[in-house]
Amino acid sequence: MEKKPFLAESKRLLDMMINSIYTQKEIFLRELISNSSDAIDKIYYKALTDDSLTFDQDSYYIEVKPDKAARTLTIADTGIGMTREELETNLGTIAKSGSLAFKQENESKDGRDIIGQFGVGFYASFMVADKVTVVSRALGEEQAWRWESEGADGYTIEPADKAAIGTEITLHIKPDTEDESYEDYLNEYRLKALVKKYSDFIRYPIKMELTSSRPKEGAEGEFEEFSEQQTINSMVPIWRKNKSELKAEDYESFYHEKRYGFDKPLAHVHVSADGAVVYQAILYVPETIPFDYYTKEYEKGLELYSRGVLIMNKCADLLPDYFSFVKGMVDSESLSLNISRELLQHDRQLKQIAKNIESKIKGALQSMLKNEREKYEKFFGSFGRQLKFGVYSDYGAHKETLQDLLLFTSSKDKALVTLAEYVSRMPEDQKYIYYASGSSAERIEKLPQTELVLDKGYEILYFTDDIDEFAIRMLTSYKDKEFRSVSSGDLGIEDESKPEDEAADEENKPLFEAMAGLLGGKVSAVRASKRLRKHPVCFATEGDLTIEMEKVLAAMPDSSGVKAQKVLEINTGHDVFRALKEAHAADPAKLELFTSLLYSQALLIEGLPIEDPVEFTNQICQVMV
């Protein structure tokens, strides 16, 4: 029998496909099953316009048949089959499956569609087989045909016997190697797992003989193995069902079946879009944070299907980084896919789906915040940090999207509040949204810098995440109210000083200049404090960098040693100030001691390291004796 050569470009493409296009060999089964599904779809299309045909769905199925003894794997279907000419055209010339041409000739409006773009998936077979045999009998034909090839050298076509319409593709599995166990593709449990992974939602039954065990008759305690044909795919995916048919338990079961997590999701969104871009999606907001979420190893993304066939396990392009915690899937009929189905062209449809999904996620979170506050606070405890990173990243490009989803602990009842809630209860005379930063709310509420703001009856937001100040600096304001740190040099609270206070400031100027000189550039200035009430000393900051931001930057591996511009503020109403004045007038050594101690106290209040702990303890002892 004469062997027909592939066209030269087809030989090159076949070699490329086998060696590079498909990153996982197991993909071959998905491709063959999808082609079988296409073949059955073609009969369905024919039946819509041909009165002599009836489409009884129960008569159409796909069968997977492994034979370990013969070392073959057969995928058979009851689809439309191929004539000799179609075998020649579709299999003799790579990258032409006939599906797209058939679709264009038989357009349907009822929601079914043929994959169409996938023309070369059949040749993925050669990744696991050294010979492929196709026996096919076309609808309306008496004669069947056998197509056979051992790879790039060419193929043969000859008449064959086949009783029923349809196609059987038999793969002669390659011998095992040190690097690859091809025999795995003859293992029924491995095959079943691959069908469940990639083709679970193909709308026709995928059948296979599976081995089970049962109690042996007449032999108590003994079991016997038996084989029976089972349908191993689900066929109807949950996302294509009517929302009214589904309960919360159904969505939760799907979440666990797909192994999105072991927790119970806090919320789900079921999307059915039927516009310029047609797609369905089920999205989940998890309850608990994955152990590797804030590591480089974590992979974001949604499962991506095309007409029920899994294309990508994690399509990162469908989720913005700030919503990377979302789990779920998208099934689209609108995407443009490349020949391997693994890589997406970054087309307009994908971007539109991603934009719609972002909007749906934000809507779900807003609804949870409004209607299920306790649940939202639980979510925010796990993933709020990611939302704050989203505000800060890309130079604040997403701040409008995220600002109303943020929560911060408030000085009022130590409860979590939104920015909108904070602004809504601001007194009329309050100019700014005040915040204070620290490692915990407990430490922040003890900060001396909070005294004046709280005395005025103003609420303070407690920033306890290292990202908080960076995010707020990117926001700059909320509803025309600027953010202002309680450590800021200018709190914007009206100066209530009297003329005698101004005279006292002038009188104390030499003392403060002397103290600044003793500190030798560690602070930019020493001045009388208008914010302190009970405490003797604190730091204020000038410029854009705060002390908490300095600590965050200092902890980074590539820290440049940048420092906040610190001002040492002294409470002139405190007894310590009198001791300072006396020392300044009569005892320069004591002034130096007191100045160093107060500076060290200010460092400790801020959680900053003391430069010389031994010297500090010695200075305390000097004061005590």
Side-chain angles (χ1 to χ4, degrees), residues 322 380 383-393 402 406-408 462-465 467-468 470-472:
Y322 44 86
F380 199 83
F383 301 107
R385 183 182 176 88
Q386 190 67 12
L387 300 185
K388 295 171 188 175
F389 272 115
V391 171
Y392 175 72
S393 65
L402 299 172
L406 302 179
L407 294 179
F408 299 99
Y462 291 169
F463 288 179
T464 55
D465 271 342
I467 187 63
D468 285 344
F470 293 91
I472 288 303

Side-chain angles (χ1 to χ4, degrees), residues 216-339:
K216 193 173 182 179
E217 286 188 28
E220 189 174 346
E222 292 186 32
F223 291 83
E224 63 179 357
E225 287 191 344
F226 71 100
S227 293
E228 65 175 352
Q229 192 175 67
Q230 298 179 19
T231 297
I232 54 178
N233 61 321
S234 301
M235 287 186 284
V236 182
I238 183 175
W239 60 83
R240 288 187 180 167
K241 293 181 180 178
N242 247 323
K243 296 176 190 178
S244 58
E245 300 174 24
L246 299 168
K247 300 177 182 177
E249 293 80 12
D250 296 316
Y251 291 105
E252 191 176 326
S253 295
F254 183 68
Y255 181 84
H256 291 135
E257 284 171 13
K258 298 300 291 179
R259 298 183 182 177
Y260 294 142
F262 297 104
D263 57 339
K264 181 178 180 180
L266 290 172
H268 70 266
V269 182
H270 189 164
V271 185
S272 294
D274 190 13
V277 181
V278 179
Y279 72 96
Q280 293 86 34
I282 297 181
L283 312 171
Y284 293 96
V285 177
E287 178 182 41
T288 57
I289 187 168
F291 72 92
D292 61 345
Y293 185 66
Y294 287 114
T295 69
K296 291 181 180 178
E297 285 70 38
Y298 180 80
E299 286 185 78
K300 70 166 182 170
L302 302 176
E303 287 186 322
L304 180 62
Y305 292 80
S306 180
R307 302 162 182 86
V309 178
L310 181 65
I311 304 305
M312 296 179 72
N313 277 315
K314 289 189 177 180
C315 181
D317 292 332
L318 287 170
L319 286 177
D321 284 344
Y322 44 86
F323 288 154
S324 60
F325 48 82
V326 172
K327 305 290 185 182
M329 52 66 55
V330 173
D331 186 6
S332 174
E333 299 183 9
S334 304
L335 292 175
S336 299
L337 302 171
N338 74 354
I339 57 175

